[in-house]
C-alpha cells in the first residue's frame, strides 16, 4: 500500500471508537485473523492505530479497499451524516423487470464517470436489499480526494434512494442522472425528507408506501381551512375536551415509537391577516417566513407539545402532515381561504 | 437577573463596598425597556457614529461574538495613561501565568497588551470615548515574518448618556458596558485587573425576552441593505421531555413593512408598539401552527443589523448603518436596568 492509502486508513480508524476497531477490521477482512492477533487491542487508541498502520503498509491493496472500511464505518454510524430521501419514478410495466445488480453497477459506474470524470465508486450489498454506494469525488485538478465522499443507499425492490452528499451538492444532478439510468427509471424527485437517522427515514418512507398499498386509494390530505381570525384566548378546557384532544393526538401519533427526525421546515408563502383592531400591514403579497422546529427527537417533542396548553386543539394540519406524510420540508401557500401544502419537485 | 461570574464575585463584593456610586444606586430614570416607556433614538447620536463608521479602527468590532458585561464606574481612570495601564496589565498577566492560575493561557507564548481609545465610538460629544483592550501573541522567534495575532479583545463603551457624564462625581469615569471576545480565561484575568486597579465590578449581562423583542423591533426598523438577511426569532419551548426550538424567520422586507405600519413616530419606539409588533408575528404564527409563541421563551433575535442571545452574547454590525446608536442605547438600559 502506498503512503497516501495508509494515511487514509489512519484517518478512517480515528473515527472508529476503540472497542469497535477489531470488529470492524474483521468485517473488512483485508487483514487476516493471524495478523489481527498480533495487535494488542487493549492499548490506547493511537497505539492500536499505529500498529494497524504498520500492518497495512506491508499488504497489497489500494484506496478502493480502504473505501470498504469506510462503508462499514458509515453503515454503523449513519447518523453522523445527513440523509435525504429521493424517489425514482418509473412507468408501471418497468416495475416488474427483474433487478440485476451487476447490470445496475455497470450502468451506474459508466454513467457517473461519463458525467463527472474521475471518481472512485465502492458498492457494498447489505442484508436488507440495500446497496450502499460510496463515491469519492474528484477535484477540478483530476485528483480524487478521499475526504470528499458521498453516499447513496438504494433499496433495489423499492423506488427509494437515500443520498448523503454533505457539502458537495454540486454533484447531485449528475448522481441523480446516473441513478435514473442505472435503474431504468425515467426521473427522480426529492421527497423533501431529510434527517440524520437513516433507519427512521426508511421507516417513514416504507410505512407510508405500505399504507398506500393497503388502502389503494387512501384519502388525500384535505385542504384544511384556516380559522378566520386567530384566537389568542387560552381556552379553559374542561376535562372532556382535554380527553378528546388526547384521543385525537393518540390517533395522529399512534402508540408505536415515532421515527426519529431532527427538524421540520415550513416555508410560509401565505398572506398576513391582521387584526382589524390593530390596523397594521395590509399587503397583497405573501408574508414570507421560514419556520423551523428542531429537537433531538422532533416527533416526540411535537407529540408532547401537543399535550400542553401552549397548543390549541385540534392540532394544526401543518403539524399532523409531519406525521402523515413522508416529508419534513413543506411549502405552504394560500389557496383562496385555505392553506395548501404544496408539493415541490426538483 | 444578573449572573455573577464566579471569578468576579470575590472582588466585586469587596469593591462594591468601597466604590460609590455604583450604577444601580444612582437613579437616572431611564424609561427605556419598561412598560409603556418612550424613548427617542437620538438622531444626533446616530449620525455622529455613522459618519465615522467606515474607519478601520472599528472594523474589527463587526462580525464577532461579544459577551456582554455591565461595569460600575471606574475610579481614577484616565485616558491619558493608557500606555502605562497596558504595561501594568501585561505584568499582571505574566504574574498570573507564573502563579499557574491561568491554566488555559499558553505558557511559552508572550502576551502583548495594547490599550487604546476608540474616539469614534461614542453616542454624544459628552460621552467618554470607548476604550479598547487587546491581547495578542507575540510572534515566536522562529516565525519571523508572522504578524501578531490578536487572541482576545474587550472594549468599554459609554452610551449616549449625557446625564451620566454630568452627574458623575469627580474621579469616576463612566463606561458602563464592557464587551469581550475571546477565551473566557483572558476575560477573567483582564476583568480582575480592572477591578483591582479601578475599584469597579463587572456583571454578566443576560438579556431578557422583553429586551430581545425591543431589539427585534429596533433593528427591523433600520434601513435595509439589498438582500438583507431575514429577521430570525428563536424560541425555546419550556418543560418538554426533549428540548424543542422554534426558529421563526421573517423576510427582512416583510418584517420592516410590518414594523413601519406599527411604528407611529419615526425615530421613536414605545413599549406598546413593540408589543403590537410581536403580537402580530405571534398571531400570524398561530394561524398556521395553533401554537402560542407567547407561552414559549424568546431566546435569540437575529437581524442583518445585529444579533443577540439571551445569554448575553451579541454579534454586531452585519450592516454598518445605524447599529451602534440603537445598540448602545439598548445596552445602557440593560446595564442600568439589571442592577
Amino acid at each position: 500500500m502506498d503512503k497516501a492509502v495508509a494515511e487514509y486508513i489512519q484517518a478512517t480508524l480515528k473515527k472508529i471508537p476503540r472497542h469497535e476497531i477489531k470488529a470492524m477490521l474483521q468485517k473488512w477482512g483485508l487483514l487476516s485473523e493471524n495478523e489481527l492477533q498480533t495487535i494488542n487491542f487493549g492499548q490506547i487508541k493511537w497505539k492500536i492505530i499505529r500498529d494497524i498502520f504498520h500492518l497495512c503498509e506491508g499488504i497489497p491493496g489500494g484506496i478502493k479497499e480502504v473505501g470498504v472500511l469506510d462503508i462499514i464505518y458509515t453503515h454503523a454510524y449513519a447518523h453522523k451524516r445527513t440523509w435525504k430521501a429521493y424517489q425514482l419514478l418509473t412507468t408501471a410495466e418497468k416495475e416488474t423487470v427483474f433487478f440485476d445488480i451487476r447490470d445496475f453497477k455497470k450502468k451506474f459506474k459508466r454513467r457517473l464517470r461519463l458525467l463527472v470524470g474521475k471518481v472512485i465508486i465502492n458498492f457494498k450489498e447489505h442484508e436488507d436489499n440495500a446497496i450502499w454506494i460510496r463515491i469519492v469525488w474528484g477535484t477540478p485538478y483530476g485528483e480524487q480526494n478521499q475526504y470528499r465522499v458521498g453516499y447513496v443507499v438504494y433499496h433495489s425492490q423499492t423506488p427509494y434512494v437515500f443520498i448523503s452528499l454533505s457539502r458537495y451538492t454540486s454533484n447531485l444532478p449528475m448522481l441523480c442522472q446516473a441513478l435514473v439510468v442505472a435503474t431504468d427509471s425515467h426521473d427522480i424527485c426529492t421527497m423533501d425528507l431529510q434527517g440524520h437517522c437513516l433507519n427512521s427515514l426508511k421507516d417513514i418512507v416504507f410505512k407510508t408506501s405500505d399504507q398506500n398499498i393497503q388502502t389503494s386509494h387512501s384519502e388525500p390530505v384535505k385542504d384544511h381551512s384556516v380559522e378566520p381570525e386567530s384566537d389568542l384566548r387560552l381556552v379553559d378546557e374542561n376535562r372532556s375536551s382535554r380527553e378528546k384532544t388526547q384521543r385525537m393526538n393518540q390517533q395522529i401519533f399512534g402508540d408505536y415509537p415515532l421515527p426519529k427526525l431532527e427538524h421540520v421546515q415550513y416555508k410560509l408563502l401565505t398572506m398576513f391577516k391582521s387584526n382589524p383592531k390593530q390596523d397594521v400591514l395590509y399587503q397583497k403579497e405573501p408574508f414570507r417566513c421560514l419556520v423551523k422546529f428542531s429537537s433531538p427527537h422532533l416527533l416526540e417533542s411535537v407529540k408532547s407539545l401537543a399535550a400542553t396548553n401552549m397548543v390549541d386543539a385540534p392540532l394544526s394540519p401543518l403539524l399532523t402532515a409531519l406525521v402523515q406524510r413522508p416529508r419534513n420540508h413543506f411549502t405552504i401557500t394560500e389557496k383562496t381561504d385555505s392553506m395548501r401544502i404544496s408539493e415541490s419537485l426538483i | 437577573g444578573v449572573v455573577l461570574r464566579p471569578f468576579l464575585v470575590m472582588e466585586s463584593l469587596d469593591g462594591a463596598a468601597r466604590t460609590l456610586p455604583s450604577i444601580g444606586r444612582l437613579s437616572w430614570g431611564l424609561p427605556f425597556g419598561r412598560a409603556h416607556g418612550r424613548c427617542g433614538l437620538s438622531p444626533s447620536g446616530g449620525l455622529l457614529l455613522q459618519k465615522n463608521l467606515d474607519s478601520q479602527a472599528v472594523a474589527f468590532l463587526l462580525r464577532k461574538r461579544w459577551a456582554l458585561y455591565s461595569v460600575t464606574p471606574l475610579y481614577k481612570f484616565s485616558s491619558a495613561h493608557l500606555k502605562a495601564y497596558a504595561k501594568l496589565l501585561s505584568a499582571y498577566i505574566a504574574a498570573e501565568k507564573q502563579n499557574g492560575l491561568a491554566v488555559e493561557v499558553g505558557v511559552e507564548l508572550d502576551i502583548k497588551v495594547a490599550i487604546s481609545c476608540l474616539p469614534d465610538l461614542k453616542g454624544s460629544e459628552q460621552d467618554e470615548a470607548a476604550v479598547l483592550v487587546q491581547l495578542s501573541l507575540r510572534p515566536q522567534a522562529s516565525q519571523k515574518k508572522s504578524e501578531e495575532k490578536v487572541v482576545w479583545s474587550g472594549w468599554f463603551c459609554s452610551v449616549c448618556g449625557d446625564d451620566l457624564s454630568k452627574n458623575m462625581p469627580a474621579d469616576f469615569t463612566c463606561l458602563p458596558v464592557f464587551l469581550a471576545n475571546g477565551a473566557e480565561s483572558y476575560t477573567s484575568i483582564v476583568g480582575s485587573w480592572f477591578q483591582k486597579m479601578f475599584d469597579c465590578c463587572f456583571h454578566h449581562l443576560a438579556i431578557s425576552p422583553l429586551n430581545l423583542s425591543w431589539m427585534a423591533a429596533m433593528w427591523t426598523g433600520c434601513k435595509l441593505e439589498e438582500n438583507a438577511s431575514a429577521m430570525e426569532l428563536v424560541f425555546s419551548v419550556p418543560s418538554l421531555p426533549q428540548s424543542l426550538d422554534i426558529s421563526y424567520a421573517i423576510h427582512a422586507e416583510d418584517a420592516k413593512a410590518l414594523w413601519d405600519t406599527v411604528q407611529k413616530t419615526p425615530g421613536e419606539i414605545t413599549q406598546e408598539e413593540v408589543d403590537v409588533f410581536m403580537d402580530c408575528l405571534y398571531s400570524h404564527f398561530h394561524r398556521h401552527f395553533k401554537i402560542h409563541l407567547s407561552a414559549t421563551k424568546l431566546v435569540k433575535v437575529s437581524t442583518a443589523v445585529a444579533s443577540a442571545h439571551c445569554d448575553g452574547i451579541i454579534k454586531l454590525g452585519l450592516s454598518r448603518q445605524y447599529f451602534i446608536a440603537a445598540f448602545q442605547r439598548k445596552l445602557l438600559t440593560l446595564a442600568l436596568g439589571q442592577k
Side-chain angles (χ1 to χ4, degrees):
Chain A
M1 266 182 195
D2 69 29
K3 209 173 168 219
V5 176
E7 268 170 15
Y8 186 64
I9 291 185
Q10 248 181 331
T12 310
L13 288 170
K14 270 185 195 162
K15 296 190 284 188
I16 306 173
R18 190 177 65 98
H19 63 279
E20 288 174 41
I21 291 179
K22 192 178 179 185
M24 287 205 187
L25 289 176
Q26 283 168 332
K27 260 192 201 166
W28 187 34
L30 205 71
L31 296 171
S32 69
E33 201 56 43
N34 285 344
E35 282 169 318
L36 288 179
Q37 269 169 15
T38 63
I39 293 168
N40 171 12
F41 286 97
Q43 61 189 339
I44 55 172
K45 193 172 162 185
W46 72 266
K47 285 187 177 167
I48 302 175
I49 293 174
R50 181 197 60 193
D51 293 351
I52 298 167
F53 179 72
H54 289 316
L55 266 182
C56 288
E57 276 182 321
I59 58 163
I63 205 77
K64 266 198 95 160
E65 278 71 28
V66 193
V68 176
L69 180 63
D70 192 51
I71 293 192
I72 293 167
Y73 167 79
T74 308
H75 185 257
Y77 286 89
H79 61 272
K80 301 245 176 185
R81 305 184 69 104
T82 301
W83 300 89
K84 290 186 185 178
Y86 290 83
Q87 186 169 16
L88 291 160
L89 307 174
T90 20
T91 46
E93 63 266 32
K94 274 186 184 164
E95 274 177 27
T96 53
V97 172
F98 173 71
F99 179 76
D100 178 357
I101 185 145
R102 274 178 306 177
D103 185 48
F104 169 81
K105 286 181 182 175
K106 200 175 75 193
K107 282 182 183 164
F108 181 80
K109 277 199 266 192
R110 199 196 294 146
R111 181 50 65 113
L112 198 59
R113 293 213 167 109
L114 190 73
L115 293 169
V116 201
K118 275 192 169 181
V119 282
I120 301 172
I121 303 166
N122 285 106
F123 292 94
K124 190 161 171 39
E125 288 145 67
H126 282 275
E127 54 288 343
D128 54 349
N129 281 329
I131 302 160
W132 282 61
I133 311 169
R134 176 179 179 271
I135 303 143
V136 179
W137 304 107
T139 63
Y141 315 104
E143 277 299 297
Q144 297 98 357
N145 183 341
Q146 289 300 320
Y147 302 93
R148 293 180 51 164
V149 177
Y151 270 91
V152 175
V153 177
Y154 172 50
H155 282 254
S156 57
Q157 305 303 322
T158 75
Y160 302 113
V161 185
F162 302 90
I163 298 177
S164 166
L165 281 187
S166 319
R167 301 193 293 282
Y168 314 110
T169 47
S170 60
N171 294 316
L172 182 66
M174 282 81 92
L175 178 62
C176 284
Q177 208 192 107
L179 282 165
V180 166
V181 169
T183 54
D184 287 327
S185 310
H186 75 260
D187 204 354
I188 187 169
C189 68
T190 174
M191 298 181 75
D192 284 327
L193 174 68
Q194 67 176 67
H196 288 291
C197 184
L198 181 60
N199 286 334
S200 288
L201 299 186
K202 287 182 183 176
D203 283 349
I204 293 168
V205 165
F206 296 149
K207 188 192 82 189
T208 318
S209 63
D210 284 351
Q211 282 170 353
N212 287 346
I213 292 160
Q214 281 157 16
T215 54
S216 54
H217 293 289
S218 63
E219 215 179 311
V221 174
K222 275 185 255 165
D223 285 335
H224 299 269
S225 61
V226 180
E227 313 224 332
E229 287 306 333
S230 65
D231 184 356
L232 280 178
R233 280 175 295 130
L234 278 169
V235 185
D236 188 20
E237 287 171 325
N238 59 36
R239 186 171 291 168
S240 71
S241 77
R242 164 93 41 233
E243 279 168 4
K244 195 179 152 204
T245 311
Q246 276 171 357
R247 267 203 311 280
M248 283 168 71
N249 288 341
Q250 193 68 37
Q251 273 174 8
I252 293 162
F253 292 100
D255 284 324
Y256 47 86
L258 290 160
K260 204 169 172 199
L261 288 175
E262 294 81 25
H263 76 271
V264 58
Q265 181 177 303
Y266 301 88
K267 192 173 180 185
L268 306 184
L269 296 172
T270 48
M271 307 310 277
F272 182 85
K273 291 186 178 168
S274 65
N275 185 337
K277 273 180 266 169
Q278 281 169 332
D279 184 32
V280 292
L281 189 67
Y282 177 78
Q283 66 176 26
K284 285 180 181 164
E285 299 301 314
F287 193 70
R288 294 157 290 180
C289 303
L290 187 70
V291 173
K292 197 168 171 179
F293 294 73
S294 37
S295 162
H297 198 327
L298 182 78
L299 293 177
E300 287 292 349
S301 288
V302 172
K303 186 182 177 181
S304 39
L305 176 68
T308 68
N309 57 9
M310 284 178 263
V311 182
D312 289 345
L315 206 59
S316 154
L318 303 192
L319 293 176
T320 55
L322 177 60
V323 189
Q324 288 160 351
R325 293 184 155 210
R327 62 193 301 179
N328 59 350
H329 283 217
F330 298 91
T331 302
I332 313 300
T333 53
E334 201 97 35
K335 188 182 168 192
T336 55
D337 275 337
S338 63
M339 267 180 260
R340 193 161 61 95
I341 301 165
S342 65
E343 309 286 344
S344 64
L345 304 177
I346 51 167
Chain B
V2 176
V3 182
L4 292 177
R5 285 283 153 119
F7 63 84
L8 296 173
V9 172
M10 281 197 333
E11 290 295 327
S12 67
L13 287 177
D14 189 15
R18 281 180 283 132
T19 309
L20 281 172
S22 95
I23 277 186
R25 280 167 213 158
L26 294 176
S27 57
W28 282 309
L30 277 145
F32 206 84
R34 307 222 176 104
H36 306 289
R38 183 165 272 271
C39 170
L41 292 178
S42 132
S44 66
L47 289 172
L48 184 73
L49 288 156
Q50 220 173 311
K51 189 175 60 192
N52 296 315
L53 260 183
D54 283 330
S55 70
Q56 280 291 312
V58 294
F60 81 96
L61 303 177
L62 310 174
R63 293 162 200 271
K64 280 201 184 94
R65 284 161 53 85
W66 297 98
L68 281 180
Y69 298 85
S70 68
V71 190
T72 56
L74 309 177
Y75 180 62
K76 296 218 163 160
F77 173 89
S78 162
S79 51
H81 301 137
L82 295 184
K83 274 198 173 159
Y85 295 158
K87 270 191 182 164
L88 287 171
L89 178 55
S90 179
Y92 181 76
I93 293 172
E96 289 283 293
K97 268 166 36 180
Q98 288 227 314
N99 290 340
L101 292 176
V103 188
E104 283 172 56
V105 180
V107 179
E108 67 281 358
L109 297 164
D110 248 349
I111 298 288
K112 191 187 158 191
V113 179
I115 304 183
S116 56
C117 258
L118 294 171
D120 293 348
L121 281 184
K122 50 179 173 178
S124 69
E125 291 298 348
Q126 287 78 24
D127 277 348
E128 293 287 339
V131 173
L132 170 71
V133 184
Q134 274 184 314
L135 307 188
S136 37
L137 290 181
R138 272 186 231 273
Q140 286 171 297
S142 56
Q143 312 158 291
K144 273 175 200 159
K145 279 203 167 173
S146 67
E147 283 179 21
E148 285 177 356
K149 190 181 164 229
V150 176
V151 288
W152 180 94
S153 32
W155 49 295
F156 294 85
C157 65
S158 186
V159 249
C160 311
D162 299 1
D163 306 342
L164 295 189
S165 315
K166 269 183 227 153
N167 294 338
M168 197 50 53
D171 291 337
F172 282 97
T173 305
C174 188
L175 288 164
V177 182
F178 178 68
L179 302 96
N181 168 265
E184 215 166 289
S185 53
Y186 289 122
T187 310
S188 160
I189 296 181
V190 175
S192 62
W193 182 80
F194 270 90
Q195 286 180 79
K196 281 192 180 136
M197 197 65 192
F198 304 109
D199 236 357
C200 56
C201 46
F202 290 75
H203 293 112
H204 190 68
L205 275 182
I207 309 175
S208 69
L210 183 75
N211 282 321
L212 284 176
S213 54
W214 266 90
M215 291 176 178
M218 221 156 36
W219 297 337
T220 299
C222 292
K223 205 174 133 198
L224 289 172
E225 286 169 359
E226 245 177 85
N227 300 322
S229 54
M231 174 184 93
E232 188 194 13
L233 305 171
V234 180
F235 300 86
S236 144
V237 182
S239 54
L240 292 184
Q242 304 250 14
S243 72
L244 176 65
D245 284 337
I246 302 172
S247 150
Y248 182 12
I250 300 113
H251 194 288
E253 284 170 25
D254 294 349
K256 181 161 166 49
L258 173 63
W259 172 249
D260 287 347
T261 60
V262 170
Q263 192 180 27
K264 292 185 187 78
T265 321
E268 277 189 8
I269 301 176
T270 65
Q271 182 63 48
E272 199 194 340
E273 288 162 358
V274 174
D275 289 345
V276 170
F277 179 61
M278 295 306 277
D279 277 352
C280 285
L281 294 177
Y282 289 175
S283 63
H284 185 68
F285 189 90
H286 183 268
R287 192 166 82 88
H288 294 81
F289 300 100
K290 295 195 189 174
I291 295 172
H292 296 280
L293 281 180
S294 51
T296 67
K297 188 190 172 203
L298 179 59
V299 291
K300 193 186 167 194
V301 167
S302 165
T303 70
V305 174
S307 76
H309 192 277
C310 63
D311 290 342
I313 305 288
I314 56 161
K315 199 170 165 185
L316 284 179
L318 308 170
S319 149
R320 284 169 173 258
Q321 289 184 317
Y322 292 96
F323 76 98
I324 287 191
F327 204 71
Q328 289 192 334
R329 262 206 168 270
K330 194 65 214 167
L331 290 181
L332 176 70
T333 322
L334 284 170
L336 302 176
Q338 295 210 350
K339 279 295 293 186

